Amino acid sequence: MVVLLGVVVVVLGFATRRNPLLVVGVAGIATGLLGELSPAEILRAFGDGFASSRSVTIFAITLPVIGLLERNGLQQQARTLIGKLGGLTTGRFLMLYLALRQLTAAFGLQSIGGPAQSVRPMIAPMAEAAAERRNGGRPLPEPVREKVRSHSSGADTVGLFFGEDCFLAIGSILLITGFVNSTYDTHLEPLSLALWAVPTAVCAFLVHGARLLRLDGTLERELAAYEAAHGTGNGAGHAARDAARISLTKDAATRTGTDTGRGADRASGTTGEGAE
């Protein structure tokens, strides 16, 4: 029971918002020491765990590739592409991506998308470009931009979560069938579970797709409220132009008055000389 104190270390570390990697490392070392393992054995356990799950380090290859693509204009090209599709709003675009993500996950292509692979470099910039086009080409306020980014990531997560269960060779399907067949002495086929997951995926698409379509109206209301609160947008532009017109009118009237006064002075001087 003493070795379970490592779980307490994990709970306290996450509750105090410490670095997750540091928390898990300290918890593992504490558990090993409480289990009367030597430092060499603890280090060997860390090495075996890392070697058996090398796939978790795939980000070390993905992130540099994504960084190079962004440096060479991937986000700008994505924005340009979405700018050419005039009828594609933010909600419609994210709904299309939701459908694509579900379909690809249903065929076992879970890694074709994701926050690092597709959302940050392509999907989020394209959704932002669609919102900026509806905003008259002006940059989005930071709260609205964060909302668009969160919905972009949410569409990816929902599509993957409900789409992958339609693939009969996914780990969760194999785990359920293996557990049920071994525990209850039955013969449950993975294809049966995958087919039963299809209605759930369809319902998830309809519900979340409706939320994404409502997103366009929400963004328009938030942009209008932001413009009214901060004096930006078309209203501020009209006010600035009106102020400029008034200023130009006043300057013209001043110049006209000055020229009229000078003309009157010259006329009076000429009249006086004629009288003499």
Side-chain angles (χ1 to χ4, degrees), residues 102-110 163-164 166-167:
Q102 275 196 336
L103 289 175
T104 53
F107 286 98
L109 302 175
Q110 288 85 12
E164 65 181 1
C166 301
F167 183 58

Side-chain angles (χ1 to χ4, degrees), residues 43-99:
L43 185 61
R44 187 180 303 111
F46 274 104
D48 292 340
F50 180 81
S52 61
S53 58
R54 292 188 295 271
S55 60
V56 299
T57 61
I58 194 67
F59 72 91
I61 300 176
T62 304
L63 292 182
V65 173
I66 296 298
L68 289 174
L69 291 175
E70 290 186 0
R71 183 177 181 180
N72 288 275
L74 177 62
Q75 291 190 0
Q76 287 74 13
Q77 292 299 324
R79 288 176 177 271
T80 303
L81 175 62
I82 203 67
K84 297 179 180 178
L85 304 176
L88 198 60
T89 63
T90 301
R92 294 173 184 173
F93 169 71
L94 292 181
M95 190 178 68
L96 291 176
Y97 178 70
L98 172 66

Side-chain angles (χ1 to χ4, degrees), residues 155-182:
D156 182 272
T157 303
V158 172
L160 174 63
F161 185 84
F162 290 98
E164 65 181 1
D165 288 338
C166 301
F167 183 58
L168 56 89
I170 196 67
S172 58
I173 298 294
L174 298 178
L175 175 62
I176 293 172
T177 54
F179 177 79
V180 172
N181 292 338
S182 60

Side-chain angles (χ1 to χ4, degrees), residues 242-267:
D242 292 340
R245 292 194 190 99
I246 294 173
S247 178
L248 290 175
T249 302
K250 290 181 178 180
D251 293 340
T254 303
R255 288 195 297 270
T256 302
T258 303
D259 295 339
T260 303
R262 291 175 179 173
D265 292 340
R266 287 196 296 269

